[in-house]
Amino acid sequence: MSAILIAIFGHLANAIASLIDKVLLQTGFKHPGTYAVAIGGLSTLALFVWPFFPPEKISWTIAIYAILFGGCFFAGLWRFFAGLKTTEAGSFVPLTAAAVALFSVLLEVFLSWNFSLFTENPLVTGGIGLLVVSMAIIAIANRSKHYPIALQPALESGAFFAISSVNATFLYHEVNFIQGFFLSRVVVLALVVGVLAGVSQVRNELFGKKEKDGEKKPFVLFFVGQGIGTLGFVGVQYALSLPDGSASVVNALQAVQFGALALITGAFSKWLPAALREHWTGAIAALKLLALACAAIGLALIST
């Protein structure tokens, strides 16, 4: 199976997980760092099976790639949840994804100082551009006068996630997929421990006593969301590890998930929580149809 198909499946799973994240951030977690620690910590449970897959090699280059991969992933989670908590998922998530895709292209080009992407593959470049545009259009269409657009955390988390994914591709060129994933989780584990030790708000929210009103954290929904999110994360990471899985293409394919979500949330808005409802009326419907058209054409160009 090609990196494009695997990435699409991974992004669709991540889209569903992001909707669950929004609900949980509204109802169960007060501090975005708590959610980042919970998700980061959950992903490190994979390290229990690491002894069965001992490292084949290690070097300073591999260590640097792993640190940037895992560290920026954790930082991106923190800033992403900080923004998601303050605004609407339908606007913030695609805006962040557009930033990730755009920063990934720029990083791949300037880190390698190879501008052949723009000269040798104009169709791929145009496809990436259309996918970024489609995500930006969906973000604009879903804007609400009642919430800020949260541009700063979107750009910050987009930059962190882009650095993480680009260094993930570098790491997967040095070691196999399993070893690259384990090395990045070691970095995440160190950051989780550091945050728990240094940020009392996060530590108290995770391990402190229950509130007086007896409100319980929705852990069942959390684990369901993280199970889906794990499938999405592994799918995207595996796509990045494949020979045809460049960070710019894989990240730009997030446009597909938002096109699908726009259709789903529009069709079933009556049965969704208020925070997840999207509308298809007038100019909003026209913008979303335009975004879907851009995403479809962009996907076709990337797949050529």
Side-chain angles (χ1 to χ4, degrees):
M1 188 177 292
S2 70
I4 290 177
L5 288 177
I6 294 173
I8 289 174
F9 289 135
H11 286 313
L12 288 174
N14 282 335
I16 297 172
S18 69
L19 294 181
I20 296 175
D21 291 340
K22 175 60 180 176
V23 173
L24 289 173
L25 284 167
Q26 292 289 82
T27 60
F29 294 87
K30 297 178 181 179
H31 197 292
T34 305
Y35 206 58
V37 165
I39 291 178
L42 195 62
S43 73
T44 64
L45 294 178
L47 292 174
F48 281 109
V49 299
W50 197 15
F52 298 100
F53 303 92
E56 298 173 356
K57 62 177 180 177
I58 193 70
S59 68
W60 283 110
T61 300
I62 292 173
I64 291 172
Y65 290 155
I67 290 170
L68 290 172
F69 173 14
C72 289
F73 169 77
F74 184 81
L77 280 180
W78 192 310
R79 295 308 300 150
F80 176 78
F81 293 131
L84 186 61
K85 189 174 179 64
T86 62
T87 190
E88 292 182 326
S91 176
F92 180 75
V93 178
L95 183 64
T96 302
V100 174
L102 186 59
F103 285 137
S104 296
V105 174
L106 296 176
L107 279 170
E108 281 193 336
V109 169
F110 289 107
L111 287 177
S112 63
W113 205 246
N114 181 2
F115 296 87
S116 61
L117 176 66
F118 302 119
T119 58
E120 296 179 4
N121 301 298
L123 291 180
V124 174
T125 304
I128 292 172
L130 282 173
L131 290 174
V132 172
V133 168
S134 73
M135 289 184 281
I137 292 174
I138 289 178
I140 293 171
N142 287 327
R143 280 190 63 188
S144 168
K145 62 182 179 180
H146 302 294
Y147 294 95
I149 195 171
L151 180 61
Q152 182 176 341
L155 293 176
E156 290 172 351
S157 59
F160 280 126
F161 284 138
I163 295 171
S164 176
S165 60
V166 168
N167 279 278
T169 60
F170 293 160
L171 181 61
Y172 293 139
H173 289 158
E174 298 289 333
V175 297
N176 61 43
F177 171 71
I178 294 177
Q179 289 304 317
F181 177 76
F182 283 144
L183 289 171
S184 70
R185 295 311 92 184
V186 171
V187 178
V188 172
L189 178 61
L191 290 172
V192 166
V193 172
V195 171
L196 287 175
V199 184
S200 59
Q201 287 177 292
V202 173
R203 185 172 61 253
N204 291 337
E205 189 172 4
L206 276 177
F207 304 114
K209 295 181 179 179
K210 296 179 180 179
E211 299 293 335
K212 292 182 180 180
D213 59 6
E215 181 182 356
K216 296 181 179 180
K217 297 264 190 315
F219 283 115
V220 173
L221 184 60
F222 171 78
F223 284 114
V224 170
Q226 293 320 301
I228 297 172
T230 298
L231 293 176
F233 176 78
V234 173
V236 171
Q237 294 305 311
Y238 184 63
L240 287 170
S241 72
L242 296 176
D244 58 337
S246 71
S248 55
V249 171
V250 170
N251 286 330
L253 286 169
Q254 291 177 94
V256 177
Q257 73 181 21
F258 302 119
L261 280 179
L263 291 171
I264 294 170
T265 54
F268 300 99
S269 61
K270 292 182 180 180
W271 296 277
L272 294 174
L276 305 181
R277 292 175 186 170
E278 297 182 7
H279 304 287
W280 283 77
T281 56
I284 293 176
L287 283 174
K288 289 185 176 182
L289 288 173
L290 177 60
L292 291 173
C294 289
I297 297 171
L299 181 60
L301 292 176
I302 284 180
S303 301
T304 55

